Amino acid sequence: MPITLINPSGLPEIDAYRQVSIATGSKLVFVAGQVAWDSDGVTVGEGDLAAQVEQCYLNVGTALAEAGASFDDVAKLTLYVVDWTPDKMPRLMAGITRAAAKLGAAPVPPASLLGVAALDVPEHLVELEATAVID
């Protein structure tokens, strides 16, 4: 596996992700920001952050699989959340947990969460992009 995830001593351990990923593969996979669309382009979970987070992770999983990768190969995730406030964390984590159960993987690579004013359309609450490394 080309990705090793670690939490260096001296940095806090965060349950939702690891602080560092070490990539040793030879191919990079860049997944465009995925929003809560189903395969027909219909928004899933309008107004429901957890449902949209879940769908974003599932969409990233689909994109990774097409490239011959999985969440085990992801070196970095970036989440963009509309009008982010810390009280939204339980709903965000609920969506990640549900997606992880469906994917059969715990997506815990280094991650950044950015609060944004808006995304592509008003009904989208979250967008997720990924970078993976494969052999």
Side-chain angles (χ1 to χ4, degrees), residues 51-119:
Q52 289 201 15
V53 167
E54 178 182 2
Q55 186 64 43
C56 289
Y57 272 84
L58 295 175
N59 289 350
V60 167
T62 297
L64 290 168
E66 185 67 21
S70 72
F71 270 98
D72 289 338
D73 303 307
V74 173
K76 176 76 166 76
L77 292 172
T78 304
L79 292 108
Y80 303 90
V81 182
V82 174
D83 297 326
W84 175 257
T85 54
D87 65 303
K88 294 180 180 179
M89 185 61 79
R91 288 174 280 166
L92 184 130
M93 294 306 298
I96 293 171
T97 300
R98 293 192 321 229
K102 289 181 179 176
L103 293 165
V108 294
S112 295
L113 189 156
L114 303 169
V116 296
L119 291 170

Short mmCIF file of all heavy atoms in Angstrom, two decimals, residues 51-119:
data_model
loop_
_atom_site.label_atom_id
_atom_site.label_comp_id
_atom_site.label_asym_id
_atom_site.label_seq_id
_atom_site.Cartn_x
_atom_site.Cartn_y
_atom_site.Cartn_z
N ALA A 51 -26.40 13.75 5.48
CA ALA A 51 -26.71 13.01 4.26
C ALA A 51 -25.83 13.49 3.11
O ALA A 51 -25.36 12.67 2.30
CB ALA A 51 -28.18 13.18 3.89
N GLN A 52 -25.56 14.78 3.05
CA GLN A 52 -24.73 15.29 1.97
C GLN A 52 -23.27 14.88 2.14
O GLN A 52 -22.59 14.55 1.17
CB GLN A 52 -24.88 16.80 1.84
CG GLN A 52 -26.23 17.19 1.29
CD GLN A 52 -26.26 18.57 0.68
OE1 GLN A 52 -25.23 19.18 0.42
NE2 GLN A 52 -27.47 19.08 0.45
N VAL A 53 -22.79 14.91 3.38
CA VAL A 53 -21.42 14.46 3.64
C VAL A 53 -21.28 13.00 3.22
O VAL A 53 -20.32 12.61 2.54
CB VAL A 53 -21.04 14.65 5.12
CG1 VAL A 53 -19.75 13.92 5.46
CG2 VAL A 53 -20.92 16.13 5.45
N GLU A 54 -22.23 12.18 3.62
CA GLU A 54 -22.22 10.76 3.25
C GLU A 54 -22.14 10.60 1.74
O GLU A 54 -21.32 9.85 1.22
CB GLU A 54 -23.46 10.06 3.81
CG GLU A 54 -23.56 8.62 3.43
CD GLU A 54 -24.84 7.96 3.94
OE1 GLU A 54 -25.68 8.64 4.56
OE2 GLU A 54 -24.99 6.75 3.71
N GLN A 55 -22.99 11.31 1.00
CA GLN A 55 -23.02 11.18 -0.46
C GLN A 55 -21.70 11.65 -1.08
O GLN A 55 -21.20 11.04 -2.02
CB GLN A 55 -24.20 11.96 -1.05
CG GLN A 55 -24.37 11.75 -2.54
CD GLN A 55 -24.71 10.31 -2.90
OE1 GLN A 55 -25.54 9.69 -2.23
NE2 GLN A 55 -24.09 9.77 -3.94
N CYS A 56 -21.13 12.72 -0.54
CA CYS A 56 -19.84 13.21 -1.06
C CYS A 56 -18.77 12.13 -0.92
O CYS A 56 -18.00 11.88 -1.85
CB CYS A 56 -19.41 14.48 -0.34
SG CYS A 56 -20.38 15.93 -0.74
N TYR A 57 -18.69 11.49 0.24
CA TYR A 57 -17.70 10.43 0.46
C TYR A 57 -17.96 9.25 -0.46
O TYR A 57 -17.03 8.67 -1.02
CB TYR A 57 -17.69 9.99 1.92
CG TYR A 57 -16.76 10.80 2.78
CD1 TYR A 57 -17.17 12.01 3.33
CD2 TYR A 57 -15.46 10.37 3.06
CE1 TYR A 57 -16.32 12.78 4.11
CE2 TYR A 57 -14.59 11.13 3.84
CZ TYR A 57 -15.04 12.32 4.36
OH TYR A 57 -14.19 13.07 5.13
N LEU A 58 -19.22 8.89 -0.65
CA LEU A 58 -19.55 7.79 -1.56
C LEU A 58 -19.14 8.14 -2.99
O LEU A 58 -18.61 7.30 -3.72
CB LEU A 58 -21.03 7.44 -1.47
CG LEU A 58 -21.50 6.88 -0.13
CD1 LEU A 58 -23.02 6.68 -0.13
CD2 LEU A 58 -20.77 5.60 0.24
N ASN A 59 -19.37 9.39 -3.38
CA ASN A 59 -18.99 9.82 -4.73
C ASN A 59 -17.47 9.78 -4.91
O ASN A 59 -16.97 9.36 -5.96
CB ASN A 59 -19.54 11.21 -5.03
CG ASN A 59 -21.03 11.22 -5.22
OD1 ASN A 59 -21.68 10.17 -5.31
ND2 ASN A 59 -21.61 12.40 -5.26
N VAL A 60 -16.73 10.23 -3.89
CA VAL A 60 -15.28 10.14 -3.96
C VAL A 60 -14.85 8.68 -4.07
O VAL A 60 -13.97 8.33 -4.85
CB VAL A 60 -14.60 10.85 -2.77
CG1 VAL A 60 -13.12 10.49 -2.67
CG2 VAL A 60 -14.77 12.36 -2.88
N GLY A 61 -15.50 7.80 -3.30
CA GLY A 61 -15.20 6.38 -3.38
C GLY A 61 -15.42 5.83 -4.77
O GLY A 61 -14.61 5.03 -5.28
N THR A 62 -16.49 6.26 -5.44
CA THR A 62 -16.76 5.83 -6.81
C THR A 62 -15.67 6.31 -7.76
O THR A 62 -15.18 5.56 -8.61
CB THR A 62 -18.14 6.37 -7.27
OG1 THR A 62 -19.15 5.81 -6.43
CG2 THR A 62 -18.43 6.04 -8.72
N ALA A 63 -15.28 7.57 -7.61
CA ALA A 63 -14.23 8.13 -8.47
C ALA A 63 -12.90 7.41 -8.25
O ALA A 63 -12.19 7.09 -9.21
CB ALA A 63 -14.09 9.63 -8.21
N LEU A 64 -12.57 7.16 -6.99
CA LEU A 64 -11.33 6.45 -6.69
C LEU A 64 -11.32 5.06 -7.30
O LEU A 64 -10.32 4.63 -7.90
CB LEU A 64 -11.13 6.35 -5.17
CG LEU A 64 -10.79 7.65 -4.44
CD1 LEU A 64 -10.92 7.45 -2.94
CD2 LEU A 64 -9.41 8.16 -4.82
N ALA A 65 -12.43 4.35 -7.16
CA ALA A 65 -12.52 2.99 -7.70
C ALA A 65 -12.30 2.98 -9.20
O ALA A 65 -11.62 2.09 -9.73
CB ALA A 65 -13.87 2.36 -7.34
N GLU A 66 -12.85 3.94 -9.89
CA GLU A 66 -12.68 4.01 -11.35
C GLU A 66 -11.21 4.21 -11.73
O GLU A 66 -10.77 3.75 -12.78
CB GLU A 66 -13.53 5.15 -11.92
CG GLU A 66 -13.53 5.23 -13.43
CD GLU A 66 -14.21 4.04 -14.11
OE1 GLU A 66 -15.04 3.35 -13.46
OE2 GLU A 66 -13.91 3.80 -15.28
N ALA A 67 -10.46 4.87 -10.85
CA ALA A 67 -9.03 5.10 -11.09
C ALA A 67 -8.17 3.95 -10.57
O ALA A 67 -6.94 4.02 -10.65
CB ALA A 67 -8.61 6.41 -10.43
N GLY A 68 -8.80 2.92 -10.01
CA GLY A 68 -8.05 1.79 -9.46
C GLY A 68 -7.54 2.04 -8.06
O GLY A 68 -6.57 1.44 -7.62
N ALA A 69 -8.20 2.94 -7.35
CA ALA A 69 -7.78 3.32 -6.00
C ALA A 69 -8.94 3.13 -5.02
O ALA A 69 -10.06 2.82 -5.41
CB ALA A 69 -7.31 4.77 -5.98
N SER A 70 -8.63 3.34 -3.74
CA SER A 70 -9.64 3.31 -2.69
C SER A 70 -9.25 4.35 -1.64
O SER A 70 -8.21 5.02 -1.78
CB SER A 70 -9.73 1.93 -2.05
OG SER A 70 -8.58 1.70 -1.24
N PHE A 71 -10.04 4.45 -0.59
CA PHE A 71 -9.69 5.39 0.48
C PHE A 71 -8.38 5.02 1.16
O PHE A 71 -7.73 5.87 1.74
CB PHE A 71 -10.83 5.52 1.49
CG PHE A 71 -11.81 6.60 1.13
CD1 PHE A 71 -12.99 6.28 0.48
CD2 PHE A 71 -11.55 7.92 1.42
CE1 PHE A 71 -13.89 7.27 0.13
CE2 PHE A 71 -12.43 8.92 1.07
CZ PHE A 71 -13.61 8.60 0.42
N ASP A 72 -7.96 3.76 1.05
CA ASP A 72 -6.66 3.36 1.60
C ASP A 72 -5.51 4.06 0.88
O ASP A 72 -4.41 4.14 1.41
CB ASP A 72 -6.47 1.85 1.49
CG ASP A 72 -7.36 1.07 2.44
OD1 ASP A 72 -7.80 1.65 3.46
OD2 ASP A 72 -7.61 -0.11 2.16
N ASP A 73 -5.76 4.55 -0.33
CA ASP A 73 -4.73 5.20 -1.14
C ASP A 73 -4.77 6.73 -1.05
O ASP A 73 -3.96 7.40 -1.68
CB ASP A 73 -4.90 4.79 -2.60
CG ASP A 73 -4.84 3.29 -2.79
OD1 ASP A 73 -3.86 2.68 -2.32
OD2 ASP A 73 -5.78 2.73 -3.38
N VAL A 74 -5.72 7.27 -0.29
CA VAL A 74 -5.87 8.72 -0.23
C VAL A 74 -4.81 9.33 0.69
O VAL A 74 -4.66 8.93 1.84
CB VAL A 74 -7.29 9.11 0.24
CG1 VAL A 74 -7.40 10.62 0.48
CG2 VAL A 74 -8.32 8.66 -0.80
N ALA A 75 -4.11 10.31 0.15
CA ALA A 75 -3.07 11.01 0.90
C ALA A 75 -3.59 12.28 1.55
O ALA A 75 -3.06 12.72 2.57
CB ALA A 75 -1.90 11.36 -0.02
N LYS A 76 -4.68 12.86 1.00
CA LYS A 76 -5.19 14.14 1.52
C LYS A 76 -6.62 14.35 1.10
O LYS A 76 -6.98 14.08 -0.04
CB LYS A 76 -4.32 15.29 0.97
CG LYS A 76 -4.77 16.69 1.34
CD LYS A 76 -4.41 17.03 2.78
CE LYS A 76 -4.53 18.49 3.10
NZ LYS A 76 -5.89 18.97 3.28
N LEU A 77 -7.45 14.80 2.04
CA LEU A 77 -8.84 15.19 1.77
C LEU A 77 -9.00 16.67 2.11
O LEU A 77 -8.39 17.16 3.07
CB LEU A 77 -9.82 14.40 2.64
CG LEU A 77 -9.97 12.91 2.37
CD1 LEU A 77 -10.83 12.28 3.46
CD2 LEU A 77 -10.58 12.69 1.01
N THR A 78 -9.86 17.34 1.36
CA THR A 78 -10.24 18.71 1.69
C THR A 78 -11.75 18.80 1.63
O THR A 78 -12.36 18.43 0.62
CB THR A 78 -9.61 19.73 0.72
OG1 THR A 78 -8.19 19.56 0.72
CG2 THR A 78 -9.94 21.15 1.15
N LEU A 79 -12.34 19.27 2.73
CA LEU A 79 -13.79 19.46 2.82
C LEU A 79 -14.10 20.95 2.83
O LEU A 79 -13.45 21.71 3.54
CB LEU A 79 -14.35 18.85 4.11
CG LEU A 79 -14.30 17.35 4.23
CD1 LEU A 79 -13.24 16.96 5.22
CD2 LEU A 79 -15.66 16.87 4.67
N TYR A 80 -15.09 21.33 2.05
CA TYR A 80 -15.58 22.69 2.03
C TYR A 80 -17.02 22.64 2.53
O TYR A 80 -17.84 21.92 1.96
CB TYR A 80 -15.55 23.26 0.60
CG TYR A 80 -14.17 23.22 -0.01
CD1 TYR A 80 -13.74 22.11 -0.75
CD2 TYR A 80 -13.29 24.28 0.17
CE1 TYR A 80 -12.47 22.07 -1.30
CE2 TYR A 80 -12.01 24.25 -0.39
CZ TYR A 80 -11.62 23.13 -1.12
OH TYR A 80 -10.35 23.10 -1.67
N VAL A 81 -17.32 23.36 3.61
CA VAL A 81 -18.65 23.31 4.21
C VAL A 81 -19.23 24.73 4.25
O VAL A 81 -18.59 25.66 4.77
CB VAL A 81 -18.62 22.71 5.63
CG1 VAL A 81 -20.01 22.63 6.20
CG2 VAL A 81 -17.96 21.33 5.60
N VAL A 82 -20.43 24.86 3.72
CA VAL A 82 -21.09 26.17 3.68
C VAL A 82 -21.45 26.61 5.10
O VAL A 82 -21.98 25.83 5.90
CB VAL A 82 -22.37 26.11 2.81
CG1 VAL A 82 -23.15 27.40 2.88
CG2 VAL A 82 -21.98 25.78 1.36
N ASP A 83 -21.12 27.85 5.41
CA ASP A 83 -21.46 28.47 6.71
C ASP A 83 -21.02 27.61 7.88
O ASP A 83 -21.78 27.40 8.84
CB ASP A 83 -22.96 28.77 6.80
CG ASP A 83 -23.42 29.77 5.76
OD1 ASP A 83 -22.64 30.69 5.42
OD2 ASP A 83 -24.55 29.63 5.26
N TRP A 84 -19.79 27.11 7.85
CA TRP A 84 -19.30 26.23 8.89
C TRP A 84 -19.28 26.90 10.25
O TRP A 84 -18.85 28.03 10.39
CB TRP A 84 -17.88 25.76 8.57
CG TRP A 84 -17.31 24.94 9.70
CD1 TRP A 84 -16.41 25.35 10.63
CD2 TRP A 84 -17.69 23.61 10.05
NE1 TRP A 84 -16.16 24.33 11.53
CE2 TRP A 84 -16.94 23.25 11.19
CE3 TRP A 84 -18.57 22.69 9.50
CZ2 TRP A 84 -17.05 22.01 11.79
CZ3 TRP A 84 -18.68 21.45 10.10
CH2 TRP A 84 -17.92 21.13 11.23
N THR A 85 -19.76 26.17 11.25
CA THR A 85 -19.61 26.51 12.66
C THR A 85 -19.33 25.21 13.40
O THR A 85 -19.78 24.13 12.96
CB THR A 85 -20.88 27.18 13.24
OG1 THR A 85 -22.01 26.33 13.00
CG2 THR A 85 -21.13 28.56 12.60
N PRO A 86 -18.59 25.26 14.50
CA PRO A 86 -18.22 24.03 15.20
C PRO A 86 -19.40 23.17 15.65
O PRO A 86 -19.26 21.96 15.78
CB PRO A 86 -17.41 24.54 16.40
CG PRO A 86 -16.84 25.83 15.93
CD PRO A 86 -17.90 26.43 15.06
N ASP A 87 -20.57 23.76 15.84
CA ASP A 87 -21.72 22.96 16.27
C ASP A 87 -22.20 22.01 15.17
O ASP A 87 -23.00 21.11 15.44
CB ASP A 87 -22.86 23.86 16.74
CG ASP A 87 -23.44 24.72 15.63
OD1 ASP A 87 -22.66 25.48 15.00
OD2 ASP A 87 -24.66 24.64 15.39
N LYS A 88 -21.69 22.15 13.96
CA LYS A 88 -22.06 21.24 12.87
C LYS A 88 -21.22 19.96 12.87
O LYS A 88 -21.50 19.03 12.11
CB LYS A 88 -21.92 21.95 11.52
CG LYS A 88 -22.91 23.08 11.35
CD LYS A 88 -22.75 23.76 10.01
CE LYS A 88 -23.78 24.89 9.90
NZ LYS A 88 -23.65 25.60 8.63
N MET A 89 -20.18 19.91 13.72
CA MET A 89 -19.27 18.76 13.71
C MET A 89 -19.98 17.42 13.93
O MET A 89 -19.67 16.45 13.22
CB MET A 89 -18.16 18.95 14.75
CG MET A 89 -17.10 17.84 14.71
SD MET A 89 -16.21 17.73 13.14
CE MET A 89 -15.04 19.06 13.34
N PRO A 90 -20.93 17.29 14.87
CA PRO A 90 -21.59 15.98 15.02
C PRO A 90 -22.30 15.51 13.75
O PRO A 90 -22.26 14.33 13.41
CB PRO A 90 -22.59 16.21 16.16
CG PRO A 90 -22.00 17.34 16.95
CD PRO A 90 -21.35 18.23 15.93
N ARG A 91 -22.93 16.43 13.01
CA ARG A 91 -23.60 16.04 11.77
C ARG A 91 -22.59 15.66 10.70
O ARG A 91 -22.79 14.70 9.94
CB ARG A 91 -24.52 17.16 11.28
CG ARG A 91 -25.78 17.29 12.17
CD ARG A 91 -26.61 18.47 11.78
NE ARG A 91 -25.94 19.64 12.39
CZ ARG A 91 -26.19 20.89 12.08
NH1 ARG A 91 -27.07 21.19 11.16
NH2 ARG A 91 -25.56 21.87 12.69
N LEU A 92 -21.49 16.39 10.63
CA LEU A 92 -20.44 16.05 9.69
C LEU A 92 -19.88 14.67 9.99
O LEU A 92 -19.74 13.83 9.10
CB LEU A 92 -19.33 17.11 9.73
CG LEU A 92 -18.22 16.90 8.71
CD1 LEU A 92 -17.96 18.19 7.95
CD2 LEU A 92 -16.95 16.44 9.38
N MET A 93 -19.58 14.42 11.26
CA MET A 93 -19.03 13.11 11.65
C MET A 93 -20.03 11.98 11.43
O MET A 93 -19.64 10.87 11.07
CB MET A 93 -18.56 13.15 13.11
CG MET A 93 -17.36 14.07 13.34
SD MET A 93 -15.95 13.73 12.26
CE MET A 93 -15.54 12.07 12.75
N ALA A 94 -21.31 12.26 11.62
CA ALA A 94 -22.33 11.23 11.36
C ALA A 94 -22.32 10.83 9.89
O ALA A 94 -22.42 9.64 9.56
CB ALA A 94 -23.71 11.74 11.77
N GLY A 95 -22.19 11.80 9.01
CA GLY A 95 -22.13 11.49 7.58
C GLY A 95 -20.89 10.70 7.22
O GLY A 95 -20.96 9.75 6.43
N ILE A 96 -19.74 11.06 7.80
CA ILE A 96 -18.51 10.32 7.55
C ILE A 96 -18.64 8.88 8.06
O ILE A 96 -18.25 7.93 7.38
CB ILE A 96 -17.30 11.02 8.19
CG1 ILE A 96 -17.05 12.37 7.50
CG2 ILE A 96 -16.06 10.14 8.15
CD1 ILE A 96 -16.02 13.24 8.19
N THR A 97 -19.21 8.71 9.24
CA THR A 97 -19.37 7.38 9.83
C THR A 97 -20.26 6.50 8.96
O THR A 97 -19.96 5.33 8.72
CB THR A 97 -19.93 7.50 11.26
OG1 THR A 97 -19.01 8.25 12.05
CG2 THR A 97 -20.16 6.14 11.89
N ARG A 98 -21.37 7.06 8.49
CA ARG A 98 -22.28 6.29 7.62
C ARG A 98 -21.59 5.91 6.32
O ARG A 98 -21.73 4.77 5.84
CB ARG A 98 -23.56 7.07 7.36
CG ARG A 98 -24.40 7.24 8.62
CD ARG A 98 -25.79 7.74 8.39
NE ARG A 98 -26.00 8.74 7.38
CZ ARG A 98 -26.69 9.87 7.56
NH1 ARG A 98 -27.22 10.16 8.75
NH2 ARG A 98 -26.87 10.71 6.57
N ALA A 99 -20.85 6.84 5.73
CA ALA A 99 -20.14 6.54 4.48
C ALA A 99 -19.08 5.48 4.71
O ALA A 99 -18.93 4.57 3.90
CB ALA A 99 -19.52 7.81 3.91
N ALA A 100 -18.34 5.59 5.81
CA ALA A 100 -17.29 4.61 6.12
C ALA A 100 -17.88 3.21 6.23
O ALA A 100 -17.28 2.24 5.75
CB ALA A 100 -16.55 5.00 7.39
N ALA A 101 -19.05 3.10 6.85
CA ALA A 101 -19.69 1.79 6.98
C ALA A 101 -20.05 1.23 5.61
O ALA A 101 -19.86 0.03 5.35
CB ALA A 101 -20.93 1.91 7.85
N LYS A 102 -20.55 2.06 4.71
CA LYS A 102 -20.91 1.59 3.37
C LYS A 102 -19.68 1.29 2.52
O LYS A 102 -19.70 0.38 1.70
CB LYS A 102 -21.78 2.63 2.67
CG LYS A 102 -23.18 2.73 3.24
CD LYS A 102 -24.02 3.74 2.50
CE LYS A 102 -25.42 3.79 3.09
NZ LYS A 102 -26.25 4.83 2.45
N LEU A 103 -18.62 2.05 2.71
CA LEU A 103 -17.40 1.87 1.94
C LEU A 103 -16.53 0.74 2.48
O LEU A 103 -15.63 0.27 1.80
CB LEU A 103 -16.58 3.16 1.92
CG LEU A 103 -17.20 4.34 1.17
CD1 LEU A 103 -16.49 5.64 1.55
CD2 LEU A 103 -17.13 4.09 -0.33
N GLY A 104 -16.77 0.36 3.73
CA GLY A 104 -15.95 -0.65 4.36
C GLY A 104 -14.55 -0.15 4.67
O GLY A 104 -13.60 -0.91 4.70
N ALA A 105 -14.44 1.16 4.87
CA ALA A 105 -13.13 1.77 5.14
C ALA A 105 -13.31 2.97 6.04
O ALA A 105 -14.34 3.63 6.00
CB ALA A 105 -12.48 2.21 3.83
N ALA A 106 -12.31 3.25 6.83
CA ALA A 106 -12.32 4.45 7.66
C ALA A 106 -11.48 5.51 6.95
O ALA A 106 -10.26 5.42 6.93
CB ALA A 106 -11.75 4.16 9.04
N PRO A 107 -12.11 6.51 6.33
CA PRO A 107 -11.36 7.53 5.60
C PRO A 107 -10.71 8.53 6.56
O PRO A 107 -11.31 9.54 6.91
CB PRO A 107 -12.42 8.18 4.71
CG PRO A 107 -13.71 7.97 5.44
CD PRO A 107 -13.54 6.69 6.22
N VAL A 108 -9.47 8.23 6.98
CA VAL A 108 -8.82 9.07 8.00
C VAL A 108 -7.49 9.69 7.56
O VAL A 108 -6.64 9.96 8.39
CB VAL A 108 -8.62 8.28 9.31
CG1 VAL A 108 -9.93 7.92 9.96
CG2 VAL A 108 -7.76 7.05 9.08
N PRO A 109 -7.28 9.94 6.26
CA PRO A 109 -6.04 10.61 5.88
C PRO A 109 -6.04 12.04 6.38
O PRO A 109 -7.07 12.55 6.83
CB PRO A 109 -6.06 10.56 4.35
CG PRO A 109 -7.51 10.55 4.02
CD PRO A 109 -8.15 9.72 5.11
N PRO A 110 -4.89 12.73 6.31
CA PRO A 110 -4.89 14.13 6.67
C PRO A 110 -6.01 14.86 5.93
O PRO A 110 -6.28 14.58 4.76
CB PRO A 110 -3.51 14.63 6.21
CG PRO A 110 -2.65 13.41 6.29
CD PRO A 110 -3.56 12.28 5.88
N ALA A 111 -6.66 15.77 6.64
CA ALA A 111 -7.81 16.46 6.06
C ALA A 111 -7.81 17.92 6.49
O ALA A 111 -7.37 18.25 7.59
CB ALA A 111 -9.11 15.79 6.49
N SER A 112 -8.33 18.74 5.63
CA SER A 112 -8.57 20.15 5.95
C SER A 112 -10.05 20.41 5.78
O SER A 112 -10.68 19.91 4.84
CB SER A 112 -7.79 21.07 5.01
OG SER A 112 -6.41 20.90 5.19
N LEU A 113 -10.62 21.16 6.70
CA LEU A 113 -12.03 21.56 6.63
C LEU A 113 -12.06 23.07 6.52
O LEU A 113 -11.53 23.77 7.39
CB LEU A 113 -12.77 21.10 7.88
CG LEU A 113 -14.28 21.26 7.85
CD1 LEU A 113 -14.93 20.28 8.83
CD2 LEU A 113 -14.74 22.65 8.15
N LEU A 114 -12.66 23.56 5.45
CA LEU A 114 -12.74 24.99 5.21
C LEU A 114 -14.19 25.44 5.17
O LEU A 114 -15.00 24.84 4.45
CB LEU A 114 -12.07 25.35 3.88
CG LEU A 114 -10.61 24.93 3.75
CD1 LEU A 114 -10.14 25.08 2.31
CD2 LEU A 114 -9.75 25.74 4.68
N GLY A 115 -14.51 26.48 5.92
CA GLY A 115 -15.83 27.08 5.84
C GLY A 115 -15.87 28.02 4.65
O GLY A 115 -14.93 28.78 4.43
N VAL A 116 -16.95 27.92 3.88
CA VAL A 116 -17.09 28.76 2.69
C VAL A 116 -18.47 29.43 2.72
O VAL A 116 -19.39 28.95 3.38
CB VAL A 116 -16.92 27.94 1.38
CG1 VAL A 116 -15.51 27.39 1.28
CG2 VAL A 116 -17.94 26.82 1.28
N ALA A 117 -18.60 30.52 1.97
CA ALA A 117 -19.87 31.23 1.91
C ALA A 117 -20.90 30.47 1.08
O ALA A 117 -22.09 30.46 1.41
CB ALA A 117 -19.66 32.63 1.34
N ALA A 118 -20.45 29.84 0.00
CA ALA A 118 -21.38 29.14 -0.89
C ALA A 118 -20.60 28.16 -1.75
O ALA A 118 -19.38 28.26 -1.88
CB ALA A 118 -22.11 30.14 -1.78
N LEU A 119 -21.33 27.23 -2.35
CA LEU A 119 -20.75 26.29 -3.32
C LEU A 119 -21.42 26.53 -4.67
O LEU A 119 -21.98 27.60 -4.91
CB LEU A 119 -20.92 24.85 -2.84
CG LEU A 119 -20.08 24.49 -1.61
CD1 LEU A 119 -20.48 23.14 -1.05
CD2 LEU A 119 -18.60 24.52 -1.94
#
